[in-house]
Amino acid sequence: MALKKIVILFSGRGSNMQSIIEKLHGKSVEVAAAITNNPNAKGIEIARGLGVHVDILPHTEYASREEFDAALVAKIREYSPEITVLAGFMRILSTVFTDSIKAINIHPSLLPLFKGKDGIQESFISGMDKGGVTVHFVTSEMDGGEIVLQESVPILSGDTLESFAQRVHATEHELYPKAILKVLAI
Ligand code: GRF
């Protein structure tokens, strides 16, 4: 049976992308391409090293958010993926993107708690005994779409922000591949 195609969008370190490629690529899923808006992203070499084609689309070359989003949509459509996977893609997306592309995102908190870029730190100082990881569909509301999978991560008495963050990331790396398989019904 043909592998189901996905495209991954990333901006930086790419550790979630790496985990997805290592766990799924060439098995149940084909990572048709990874696309980044950041020409200096560390993830570029990681993806290429794992045999995945990378497209670099610097957002600075476009006059507006909407023009960049339109170019991104056009690039994604070249690959006809069943789903687009945002893995640390640090751009706010306009409706040019969200109205045209079926996508999921990973966020390091128990959404709807602690949306935005400081999800781990806000969870850690919240006074709660746990934080977590959420994979959700992408809509025009940031970190607001329907939840695909969610897993909590305990905040332990001896934890520092760093030790907690490390467990959050380890949980992300397990949860995201599972969420992709769930969305693709594999
Ligand atoms: C992850 O914590 C993810 O939840 C958030 O951005 C971070 C990306 O890390 N959206 P990486 O680039 O996958 O290592």
Side-chain angles (χ1 to χ4, degrees):
M1 211 180 65
L3 300 181
K4 295 195 174 182
K5 272 199 224 172
I6 66 170
V7 163
I8 302 177
L9 307 186
F10 68 103
S11 296
R13 195 169 54 139
S15 69
N16 278 287
M17 173 176 63
Q18 178 173 359
S19 168
I20 292 164
I21 296 171
E22 286 176 347
K23 290 193 166 71
L24 303 182
H25 184 53
K27 297 168 189 149
S28 29
V29 163
E30 177 192 345
V31 181
I35 306 174
T36 185
N37 63 308
N38 174 12
N40 301 314
K42 208 176 137 202
I44 295 171
E45 288 315 311
I46 294 174
R48 286 182 177 153
L50 292 167
V52 169
H53 174 77
V54 177
D55 289 310
I56 303 172
L57 219 65
H59 63 271
T60 46
E61 290 180 7
Y62 297 85
S64 67
R65 188 176 298 285
E66 286 73 20
E67 275 182 38
F68 171 73
D69 284 2
L72 183 59
V73 167
K75 182 50 80 181
I76 291 169
R77 285 193 171 142
E78 286 178 20
Y79 299 103
S80 309
E82 302 222 5
I83 187 96
T84 295
V85 173
L86 277 61
F89 188 63
M90 307 308 276
R91 294 282 304 162
I92 293 174
L93 292 162
S94 71
T95 51
V96 171
F97 182 96
T98 57
D99 288 350
S100 345
I101 298 291
K102 185 178 171 192
I104 55 176
N105 180 45
I106 191 160
H107 183 77
S109 78
L110 288 174
L111 290 176
L113 296 175
F114 313 124
K115 296 178 179 179
K117 66 175 178 45
D118 295 320
I120 298 181
Q121 184 168 359
E122 287 180 13
S123 302
F124 187 67
I125 61 175
S126 66
M128 293 172 59
D129 61 0
K130 59 177 190 259
V133 174
T134 306
V135 177
H136 64 92
F137 283 99
V138 174
T139 65
S140 55
E141 188 200 340
M142 191 179 55
D143 300 328
E146 186 197 333
I147 290 173
V148 177
L149 278 183
Q150 187 168 62
E151 191 167 320
S152 57
V153 177
I155 299 173
L156 307 174
S157 55
D159 259 341
T160 59
L161 177 59
E162 289 65 35
S163 63
F164 172 62
Q166 236 172 42
R167 288 206 312 287
V168 169
H169 292 308
T171 302
E172 288 187 321
H173 299 159
E174 295 303 316
L175 194 71
Y176 216 174
K178 283 186 207 158
I180 293 167
L181 294 180
K182 183 176 176 193
V183 168
L184 294 174
I186 294 176

